[in-house]
Amino acid sequence: MSGTQARIVIIGGGAIGCAIAYHLARSGERDVVLLEKAQLTHGSTWHAAGLVGQLRSKKNLTRLMQNSVAVYDRLEAESGQAIDWKKAGSLRIAASEERLAEIRRSLTQAKGFGFEAHEIAPREAMERFPWMTGDGVVGAAWIPSDGYIDPYALTQAYAKVARAGGVRIREGVLVTGFEREGRRITGVVTDHGTIACEIVVNAAGIWAKRIGEMAGVALAAGAVEHQYVVTEKKIDVTAETPTFRDPDRIFYLKPDVKAFAIGGWEQGAPACWPRGVPFDFGRELFPENLDRLELFMLPAAERLPILNEIGIQTVINGPIPVSADGEPVMGLAPELDNFYVACGFTAGIAASGGAGEAMANWILHGDPGMDLWPFDVRRFSPHQANRRYLAQRSSEAYGDYYAIHWPGAELHTARGGRLSPIHHLLTANKAVHGSKAGWERPLWFDTGAVAASETPSFEHKPGWFEAVGREHAAVREGVALIDQTSFCKFEVTGPGALAALQRIAANDLDRADGTCVYTQLCNDRAGVEADLTIMRLDAQRFYIVTGSQFGVRDSGWIARHLPGDGAVQLRDVTPAYAVINLVGPKARRVLQETTDDDVSNEAFPYLAVRDIEIGLGRVRAARVGYVGELGWELHVPSEQAPHVYQTLRNAGEKHGIADVGYRAIESLRLEKGYVYWSAEVTPDTDPYEAGLGFCVALDKGGFIGREALARIKADGPSRRLVTLTVDGFAPLIGGEAVLCEGQVVGTTTSAGYGYTVGRTIAFAYVPAALARATDFVVEAYGISYPAIRGPRTLHDPKSERLKS
């Protein structure tokens, strides 16, 4: 093979790999090689249906899809090659009130994004797609800029432009391994020789997990069988015929040449080769599965009577990528410093143009150009790359593709892999568990005190509403225990630990030993890469606590910015410690009954960290928490956790102690004005606009983001996070459009009911000029809710209870 080195090597010649090559070439990057083991498109691309839908649940995810459409609008002229791009619009119908509520929620989100999408009546839907019956249809969504495209032609057009820009594309070259030095890949080993390189991009589609394993990278990306059919060519479709989706009957439709291509998302679709997709699988299909085919074709025939009159010409049953949560997997792998991934694209054709641009930005500039956390490879823990976990979750995620996505709904498969040491005790106390990063975590407790169930809702109170309200009250008025063992915990140690962390954190960590510091970790643009707590145990030892799903991301950010001489070490100690939060106005009484250590406010003030004894155990106790009440986070050696929990439980019985879950935590933190990373704070937001300027120590010396933060403080942020409230209960959960004087001015980041204040609370960013306005409107499900901007902190604004 000519050429034994390249700056960038892309593995995989499907739509995603070729789109990355295309965008690298357009950015002026010439020293790129793309390797394809067979021929371009020979993975899943060649048999993809080719629908292009844009509206997603987050603004940036929608932007990514919009960027794809922008590419398709220009690519034919740019490449000189037909791509059969039909911008004919898309129609999604609702055959139930619940589905219509889901559609209305998405349309409200679109309004907040500034994305054109419309609710239309059933009659207009039938006018736009005359083959459908209106039986049971209660509404529909119309998106005029959606469409469909030829996946093969699209990929070849990407490749043509990439080649013209200098990218070398090598077909028939199989990657067999990697050469590695420390945290860097130095060479890609193939059956045609080794290519020395600086950067590797794994865009290998259904083979991505196997390629990752060769490099020591764990990927929660698998493959699932997917079927669709092409009808006989007896249908008078036109260039204006839109794509069509009936999620209640789990099928989609794309116009074809005088035909329909119809596919579905049925439950129980098998994961393909859980032990790894064979490399000798090429441009092949599986035998058709008529039993599974009937699951969506029979409902499709009910909606489209014409299907009872024409036959099926072709059945396609092939493997498609599906990740553990059904979303793509993108970014720099946390295990290595130069190994990027872009895989798990179930809707890879729709995403390829935007995803290729984001990946090119990531590779060339260290940033995708926008926050893409819901797609980020670092959202998964290594546990979630387990083959059996992945097989179960990918199949479930596939089957849920057209399920109603209820607020707060949980996945059901692959459960029980990570358990707190007190899981069995909480189960005995009637915990209703959810799952996060593979951990089982209590959402709420079904004690029988009120009628309750795990029944979600869009526009009404969910089944757990009253039970969570009782837990909320226990924290505000009495005393409670919260199992937060799933927190990720790290130790940073060594003679240069303080200096290293001072350079990474925005806040000042040079405090007395035994002090807890809340801080953000910012990037060079002042965006918030992490929001966490750092406890200084002594001059050379720090203990870091972050959220359950953020450990891979946050530890990776810290590790990449530690000195390279090995003098400072970072170690994951998550399994070593359970975390029990003892909280509420009566918390000190309960704690003091279990310990001979002095836990008075004078001896143990707010933000102090002490090692204390509880019963027969010894714990690291921190006067810190996320619910805004007097309390202690108790970091307990795992083997002592059941004893410590039961000791506290027993001591608290006479005080009415309660178990509390994560749903109550959400309402408690909203009342207190506490932010959540990935909602209020992200790499696209800075501490000042988030109201976290008190965490920025500009005068401590140099640290990452300091210059940008100083500029923002001097100039003032262009927008600000505000707290809005609506009288009584309103069905807000975040993502709703915010209006002022009839104009859309923002989108809610988080929302929920505040049981203490008796109002619905929503956080939202609004232009700085409107930050002191008082009257707003929050729109949800097509209904306008008058909202008042109030103080940032609605409960205990001076933190007198917290610090008592």
Side-chain angles (χ1 to χ4, degrees):
M1 181 172 62
S2 61
T4 58
Q5 64 181 32
R7 179 169 129 73
I8 302 170
V9 175
I10 301 169
I11 302 169
I16 299 298
C18 289
I20 296 170
Y22 160 87
H23 280 287
L24 288 172
R26 291 187 86 244
S27 297
E29 189 65 40
R30 301 287 180 256
D31 194 7
V32 180
V33 169
L34 184 147
L35 304 177
E36 164 55 45
K37 70 178 185 61
Q39 293 180 298
L40 299 185
T41 77
H42 275 204
S44 298
T45 297
W46 73 274
H47 61 76
L51 279 74
V52 178
Q54 298 167 87
L55 181 57
R56 305 298 296 262
S57 62
K58 300 283 187 181
K59 180 178 181 179
N60 282 353
L61 308 187
T62 301
R63 281 179 58 201
L64 184 144
M65 299 298 181
Q66 289 179 284
N67 290 346
S68 287
V69 168
V71 172
Y72 306 154
D73 286 345
R74 68 171 185 253
L75 185 58
E76 192 162 297
E78 188 178 9
S79 65
Q81 182 166 315
I83 60 173
D84 198 25
W85 167 226
K86 299 291 194 302
K87 203 171 186 177
S90 72
L91 190 64
R92 179 183 294 257
I93 65 170
S96 67
E97 292 298 330
E98 295 82 5
R99 183 69 68 179
L100 184 59
E102 181 183 50
I103 284 177
R104 284 175 171 163
R105 170 167 171 75
S106 69
L107 295 179
T108 298
Q109 292 173 313
K111 186 172 184 177
F113 304 160
F115 177 76
E116 185 182 1
H118 308 278
E119 180 180 344
I120 61 175
R123 180 168 298 280
E124 185 178 347
M126 295 174 68
E127 291 171 355
R128 291 184 179 276
F129 199 84
W131 297 274
M132 65 173 279
T133 70
D135 296 347
V137 178
V138 294
W142 168 249
I143 299 178
S145 59
D146 283 351
Y148 57 97
I149 200 166
D150 180 339
Y152 177 85
L154 170 68
T155 305
Q156 295 295 342
Y158 284 144
K160 185 175 181 182
V161 175
R163 285 189 180 102
V167 174
R168 292 165 283 162
I169 296 177
R170 302 288 184 256
E171 297 176 292
V173 178
L174 176 67
V175 173
T176 59
F178 296 97
E179 293 179 346
R180 176 173 171 172
E181 293 181 7
R183 289 180 51 86
R184 299 189 67 84
I185 298 296
T186 58
V188 180
V189 182
T190 79
D191 58 355
H192 285 62
T194 298
I195 304 175
C197 64
E198 297 178 23
I199 293 170
V200 177
V201 185
N202 178 4
I206 59 175
W207 295 276
K209 183 172 177 59
R210 289 198 64 186
I211 294 295
E213 290 168 347
M214 291 180 185
V217 171
L219 294 176
V224 173
E225 286 189 27
H226 177 64
Q227 290 193 119
Y228 70 90
V229 305
V230 180
T231 68
E232 293 177 330
K233 298 183 181 299
K234 297 180 179 180
I235 304 173
D236 294 327
V237 301
T238 70
E240 287 73 41
T241 301
T243 62
F244 181 88
R245 296 168 177 86
D246 185 346
D248 291 301
R249 286 173 168 75
I250 65 168
F251 79 92
Y252 63 80
L253 179 151
K254 181 192 80 168
D256 207 316
V257 179
K258 297 184 69 64
F260 290 151
I262 302 171
W265 303 98
E266 73 280 8
Q267 295 285 346
C272 307
W273 305 288
R275 295 183 178 179
V277 183
F279 285 124
D280 59 2
F281 185 85
R283 197 175 189 274
E284 304 172 54
L285 296 172
F286 303 124
E288 60 191 53
N289 186 312
L290 296 180
D291 291 338
R292 283 179 39 231
L293 204 63
E294 287 182 349
L295 295 176
F296 63 86
M297 282 303 295
L298 293 180
E302 294 173 354
R303 177 62 63 207
L304 307 172
I306 193 172
L307 297 182
N308 297 305
E309 303 169 12
I310 61 175
I312 293 174
Q313 178 175 291
T314 307
V315 176
I316 305 292
N317 184 18
I320 62 169
V322 183
S323 74
D325 63 4
E327 298 288 12
V329 182
M330 299 172 62
L332 179 62
E335 296 91 341
L336 294 167
D337 293 335
N338 65 338
F339 189 92
Y340 292 84
V341 297
C343 59
F345 284 86
T346 304
I349 304 305
S352 64
E357 181 178 12
M359 289 303 303
N361 287 335
W362 232 321
I363 293 162
L364 298 179
H365 309 300
D367 182 273
M370 57 179 140
D371 174 39
L372 290 177
W373 172 244
F375 290 176
D376 198 304
V377 62
R378 295 168 292 177
R379 74 188 186 272
F380 292 119
S381 70
H383 167 86
Q384 294 170 286
N386 173 281
R387 290 184 179 88
R388 295 191 179 189
Y389 179 100
L390 181 58
Q392 293 177 42
R393 274 293 168 93
S394 60
S395 179
E396 183 180 13
Y398 172 97
D400 283 350
Y401 205 77
Y402 276 178
I404 293 177
H405 294 95
W406 297 101
E410 291 282 332
L411 294 173
H412 303 291
T413 60
R415 298 288 294 267
R418 304 179 81 180
L419 301 178
S420 161
I422 62 172
H423 176 269
H424 63 292
L425 298 175
L426 301 180
T427 299
N429 289 347
K430 307 299 184 183
V432 177
H433 286 96
S435 178
K436 178 74 79 171
W439 284 98
E440 294 295 306
R441 309 193 312 175
L443 299 175
W444 60 284
F445 288 80
D446 192 5
T447 63
V450 294
S453 64
E454 184 66 4
T455 305
S457 177
F458 283 113
E459 298 181 78
H460 306 287
K461 295 175 180 177
W464 57 79
F465 184 85
E466 298 297 337
V468 170
R470 290 178 66 88
E471 294 176 20
H472 180 111
V475 173
R476 289 282 186 252
E477 301 168 10
V479 61
L481 293 170
I482 309 175
D483 181 19
Q484 296 180 305
T485 297
S486 63
F487 278 168
C488 292
K489 288 87 70 177
F490 304 93
E491 287 184 353
V492 174
T493 58
L498 174 60
L501 290 176
Q502 281 284 69
R503 183 179 176 276
I504 298 170
N507 211 336
D508 188 2
L509 306 181
D510 193 7
R511 315 282 179 93
D513 293 350
T515 301
C516 186
V517 178
Y518 171 53
T519 187
Q520 290 71 51
L521 313 184
C522 294
N523 56 39
D524 288 331
R525 304 183 320 279
V528 179
E529 294 287 344
D531 180 76
L532 42 72
T533 301
I534 300 179
M535 302 179 196
R536 177 170 173 165
L537 306 181
D538 60 47
Q540 298 187 17
R541 190 162 61 109
F542 292 81
Y543 182 73
I544 301 175
V545 182
T546 190
S548 309
Q549 197 174 17
F550 308 142
V552 172
R553 180 192 178 95
D554 293 359
S555 64
W557 180 266
I558 294 169
R560 285 200 302 276
H561 293 94
L562 291 178
D565 58 8
V568 180
Q569 298 291 321
L570 181 145
R571 184 167 66 100
D572 185 353
V573 295
T574 300
Y577 295 96
V579 181
I580 301 170
N581 191 0
L582 174 68
V583 66
K586 300 178 182 178
R588 180 175 284 113
R589 291 183 234 171
V590 173
L591 183 58
Q592 193 65 79
E593 290 182 25
T594 67
T595 182
D596 294 324
D597 292 293
D598 186 354
V599 295
S600 66
N601 202 39
E602 294 73 26
F604 204 141
Y606 181 59
L607 295 181
V609 182
R610 306 277 190 271
D611 284 353
I612 65 173
E613 294 175 349
I614 297 178
L616 304 178
R618 189 165 182 82
V619 310
R620 178 175 298 150
R623 272 284 305 274
V624 68
Y626 195 47
V627 296
E629 295 291 342
L630 168 69
W632 285 262
E633 265 184 24
L634 306 172
H635 294 253
V636 189
S638 291
E639 74 278 6
Q640 297 179 11
H643 167 76
V644 169
Y645 168 82
Q646 200 61 59
T647 299
L648 294 167
R649 196 78 164 73
N650 293 342
E653 286 295 341
K654 61 178 174 288
H655 301 289
I657 198 166
D659 288 303
V660 167
Y662 271 79
R663 289 202 170 120
I665 293 175
E666 179 67 4
S667 68
L668 291 158
R669 71 101 179 173
L670 287 170
E671 289 186 338
K672 190 61 179 170
Y674 289 161
V675 301
Y676 183 68
W677 193 90
S678 77
E680 287 73 48
V681 287
T682 75
D684 289 345
T685 61
D686 67 75
Y688 288 110
E689 64 187 358
L692 299 174
F694 65 92
C695 294
V696 179
L698 292 176
D699 58 353
K700 72 170 182 174
F703 61 92
I704 300 171
R706 183 186 181 281
E707 291 76 12
L709 287 162
R711 288 194 299 271
I712 293 168
K713 183 179 182 181
D715 298 340
S718 61
R719 59 177 187 167
R720 291 191 181 274
L721 185 67
V722 298
T723 300
L724 307 175
T725 62
V726 175
D727 284 337
F729 173 82
L732 311 181
I733 61 171
E736 295 86 12
V738 177
L739 294 83
C740 186
E741 297 183 353
Q743 300 297 312
V744 175
V745 296
T747 302
T748 61
T749 55
S750 297
Y753 186 70
Y755 294 88
T756 303
V757 299
R759 297 171 66 82
T760 299
I761 303 165
F763 296 157
Y765 282 99
V766 300
L770 294 175
R772 294 190 178 277
T774 55
D775 297 328
F776 291 84
V777 167
V778 180
E779 188 174 301
Y781 308 104
I783 299 172
S784 295
Y785 294 90
I788 301 299
R789 182 197 59 79
R792 171 65 176 274
T793 301
L794 299 173
H795 173 75
D796 189 26
K798 296 181 180 179
S799 294
E800 293 168 335
R801 294 161 64 96
L802 182 66
K803 299 176 181 179
S804 63

